[in-house]
Amino acid sequence: MASTSVSRVVPAPPQRVWNLIGGFDALPDWLPYIPESTALEGGRVRRLTNPDGDVIIERLLGFNEAERHYSYAILEAPFPVDGYVSTLRVHAVPGRDDVAEVQWSGRFNPTGATEQEVVALFTGIYTDGLDALHRTLAT
């Protein structure tokens, strides 16, 4: 099983960051790669569409409001992986109440691509996403 993780300090307090990204259906609010999200099954599943029109379906696996994190699995996507599970977390930065650290991590089994290619793919998605989050919070 392969994995990757990206962290970024963003210019907002942890609760403000969580208020923006903590909703399972909130990706279009901060992630340009996902302009459309539809909640299904009472909000436990999201149907995402990327700019190319590809559909990604994900299931919420765990959610912790107090600790500000959630985990999800990809059920259907155009990515060369299976067994994909990811976690998005918001951490406080010790001694700072004006910034937060956001960590996006995932583990997966490559299928039809090398481990290096798939790790690079998701590292890029996470990095681009956290960069977009930083830009959104900086305005």
Side-chain angles (χ1 to χ4, degrees):
M1 181 161 278
S3 65
T4 188
S5 182
V6 174
S7 293
R8 175 92 193 251
V9 174
V10 296
Q15 191 59 49
R16 178 172 168 226
V17 177
W18 181 247
N19 290 346
L20 176 62
I21 73 172
F24 189 55
D25 196 34
L27 289 179
D29 296 340
W30 62 275
L31 186 61
Y33 181 69
I34 302 296
E36 184 180 329
S37 177
T38 304
L40 306 168
E41 295 186 24
R44 289 183 206 86
V45 172
R46 61 187 178 193
R47 182 185 188 279
L48 310 170
T49 306
N50 72 15
D52 295 331
D54 295 325
V55 172
I56 303 160
I57 299 176
E58 299 173 337
R59 175 174 298 282
L60 183 65
L61 299 176
F63 182 89
N64 189 311
E65 180 78 28
E67 295 180 10
R68 295 190 284 261
H69 65 83
Y70 69 81
S71 297
Y72 62 95
I74 290 179
L75 304 179
E76 176 186 322
F79 306 127
V81 296
D82 65 20
Y84 177 100
V85 175
S86 183
T87 300
L88 192 59
R89 297 179 183 275
V90 178
H91 299 283
V93 175
R96 300 281 305 267
D97 59 5
D98 60 330
V99 299
E101 180 185 11
V102 180
Q103 178 187 35
W104 198 352
S105 61
R107 62 184 195 277
F108 35 81
N109 296 308
T111 58
T114 68
E115 181 173 320
Q116 185 177 16
E117 291 168 331
V118 178
V119 167
L121 170 70
F122 286 106
T123 300
I125 289 171
Y126 299 166
T127 299
D128 291 349
L130 295 182
D131 287 349
L133 175 63
H134 187 278
R135 285 190 302 276
T136 297
L137 292 166
T139 59

